[in-house]
Amino acid sequence: MTSPNRRPSLEDVLDALFLRDDAPTPETIVQACQTHAEFREEILEFAALQAAQAALPEVTESELEVSDASVMRLQSHVLNLLYGAPRARETDAVRKALRSLAGQRLKAAAQAIDLDSTVLLQKILTQAIIDTPRVVLERLAQFLKVGVDGLVEALGPQLALHRSYKAADKPTMVRQESWEQAVAALAVDDAEKARLRAMQDRSDRA
């Protein structure tokens, strides 16, 4: 007899999700991935295969030859649909984390990523620096507890044309500069500037 406290196996999860009269929706698949995070990759892969098979037209036995390229295109399309919802939630989480950087938390973030001053961090957050070192972004992602790729995307070139507004004023474009220029403009000693420049060097070698 199966114990009621036994954790379901991968087979149990797939059976409950796919061996039913109605086909699972992307929403139910995403929910299953969240409930059984340890089987996330297997659930998505199985869902892609099931959807690809369902999308194939009914053919006669003589027409059963389907190219591998066609199957791969179908699988790719389904996977893109399945990953869409989790991706959107990840983007929302990154944006929410970035909005939390204010006041003491902004200072704590600057110290945690080894910038000390918030000046550089503010420029990073407003996309004013065009070549923020990768090591800085990795540390910031770790502080915010978000994925570094999601953070890079949120602070990427698609948001570079950031506009600032003042009451009864026309919008002004944020002046963009390189990491070298931003560091050079800081009111710190030469030793600190050299330390900050070295972050770019480490990113270049990575």
Side-chain angles (χ1 to χ4, degrees), residues 85-99 146 150 154:
R87 183 71 175 183
R89 282 196 297 275
E90 179 186 357
T91 300
D92 289 341
V94 172
R95 289 174 179 167
K96 182 178 180 180
L98 288 171
R99 287 196 297 269
V146 299

Side-chain angles (χ1 to χ4, degrees), residues 8 37 43 54 106 115-116 141 191 193 205:
I43 293 171
L106 182 68
L115 296 183
D116 294 335
K193 289 181 180 180
R205 289 195 297 268

Side-chain angles (χ1 to χ4, degrees), residues 81-192:
L81 291 175
L82 291 174
Y83 276 104
R87 183 71 175 183
R89 282 196 297 275
E90 179 186 357
T91 300
D92 289 341
V94 172
R95 289 174 179 167
K96 182 178 180 180
L98 288 171
R99 287 196 297 269
S100 74
L101 293 176
Q104 290 300 319
R105 183 164 170 78
L106 182 68
K107 293 180 181 178
Q111 293 174 352
I113 63 180
D114 211 16
L115 296 183
D116 294 335
S117 168
T118 60
V119 174
L120 280 177
L121 182 53
Q122 286 279 24
K123 290 185 175 182
I124 292 170
L125 297 177
T126 55
Q127 296 88 41
I129 299 178
I130 60 175
D131 58 347
T132 300
R134 176 78 179 188
V135 66
V136 173
L137 295 173
E138 288 173 349
R139 291 173 182 174
L140 181 57
Q142 185 176 10
F143 176 84
L144 295 174
K145 295 181 173 57
V146 299
V148 65
D149 291 337
L151 180 63
V152 170
E153 183 176 337
L155 297 176
Q158 69 272 24
L159 297 180
L161 297 180
H162 176 82
R163 294 170 182 259
S164 60
Y165 294 83
K166 294 182 181 179
D169 239 348
K170 292 182 178 180
T172 57
M173 303 301 291
V174 171
R175 186 177 74 86
Q176 291 188 283
E177 57 190 336
S178 68
W179 179 258
E180 169 67 27
Q181 291 170 325
V183 169
L186 292 175
V188 297
D189 59 32
D190 290 342
E192 177 64 5

